[in-house]
Amino acid sequence: MTITYSCIANGRVILADLAWTGGSYQDTAATVLRLVLLRAEPKTTIQMGSFVYHSLFIDGIIYLCASDNALDIVTPSAFLKNVSDIFLKNPLMSQEHFSPSNAIAADFQQVLGKYMMKYNKNQGDSSISTLRSQVTDVKIIMTQNINKILESEERLNSFTDRTNDLHTTAKDSQETRKILRKILWQHLKKIIIITVAILLSIIIILLSTNIIPT
């Protein structure tokens, strides 16, 4: 997940904003701010196009951010809480003359950038940790599958030896081998399908976290 845009607004007037990935967000942000004011709820989540806008509404000030993942609401909430804490701790922020042209508003853009970098970096580290865990799981599963194949091969050889000891005919022994190898191949195909599915899920994770360029 990436926080792609954030802003602080006094009602519908944007005081400071920053786009992480470039592009124009202000028109959409203006629409979202209007909806937030109409709802007048402390927290809102609004889907607009391919982004999800999260807001925190405190004493007429709206703290807003956009993310590219609708499933993660924890990270945007933590980001908005940090930004609002910094804003409210500064006594100059509550002055009526605070406006988009005010130097404080320009400086606060750096605060937005600092926390966007912090939370986006943390998300990247978390995705890498998840990926490493997935790779470890694949290694464990593949090792288990190889062991199962070796065990099956040992059972096949053992069974064949026993049939030879019992002086079975060459034809019966050959048929037995065919049947057992067919069972073993079916088991191996299942293992291959499971392994491929896991590898595909890892590739999807890599693409979704932008670790592999699309």
Side-chain angles (χ1 to χ4, degrees), residues 56-75:
L56 182 61
F57 192 18
I58 304 175
D59 296 332
I61 301 297
I62 301 174
Y63 308 89
L64 184 72
C65 71
S67 71
D68 57 4
N69 186 344
L71 299 179
D72 188 352
I73 61 175
V74 176
T75 301

Side-chain angles (χ1 to χ4, degrees), residues 17 25 49 58 79 83 120 139 160 164 197:
D17 70 338
Y25 290 84
I58 304 175
F79 168 80
V83 171
N120 288 339
K139 288 181 179 179
T160 302
N164 289 334

Side-chain angles (χ1 to χ4, degrees), residues 128-147:
I128 291 173
S129 297
T130 301
L131 177 62
R132 287 174 177 169
S133 176
Q134 292 280 354
V135 172
T136 300
D137 291 342
V138 170
K139 288 181 179 179
I140 293 173
I141 292 173
M142 291 182 69
T143 300
Q144 292 174 345
N145 291 340
I146 291 172
N147 290 336

Side-chain angles (χ1 to χ4, degrees), residues 52-130:
V52 181
Y53 287 79
H54 308 264
S55 69
L56 182 61
F57 192 18
I58 304 175
D59 296 332
I61 301 297
I62 301 174
Y63 308 89
L64 184 72
C65 71
S67 71
D68 57 4
N69 186 344
L71 299 179
D72 188 352
I73 61 175
V74 176
T75 301
S77 295
F79 168 80
L80 294 175
K81 179 66 168 57
N82 273 171
V83 171
S84 65
D85 286 345
I86 296 297
F87 188 87
L88 295 173
K89 284 177 182 178
N90 192 328
L92 295 175
M93 300 300 180
S94 61
Q95 294 182 11
E96 293 182 359
H97 65 268
F98 186 93
S99 66
S101 61
N102 192 286
I104 299 174
D107 291 341
F108 206 79
Q109 189 180 63
Q110 298 179 12
V111 175
L112 295 175
K114 172 185 175 182
Y115 282 99
M116 289 173 75
M117 181 179 294
K118 172 186 175 182
Y119 281 93
N120 288 339
K121 180 179 183 298
N122 287 344
Q123 284 298 306
D125 292 344
S126 176
S127 298
I128 291 173
S129 297
T130 301

Side-chain angles (χ1 to χ4, degrees), residues 25-40:
Y25 290 84
Q26 289 198 353
D27 290 343
T28 305
T31 301
V32 175
L33 290 172
R34 180 175 60 82
L35 294 174
V36 171
L37 289 170
L38 288 174
R39 296 183 183 184

Side-chain angles (χ1 to χ4, degrees), residues 146-161:
I146 291 172
N147 290 336
K148 288 179 181 179
I149 293 173
L150 293 175
E151 290 174 0
S152 298
E153 185 69 25
E154 288 178 0
R155 288 197 296 269
L156 174 63
N157 292 332
S158 176
F159 184 83
T160 302
D161 291 341

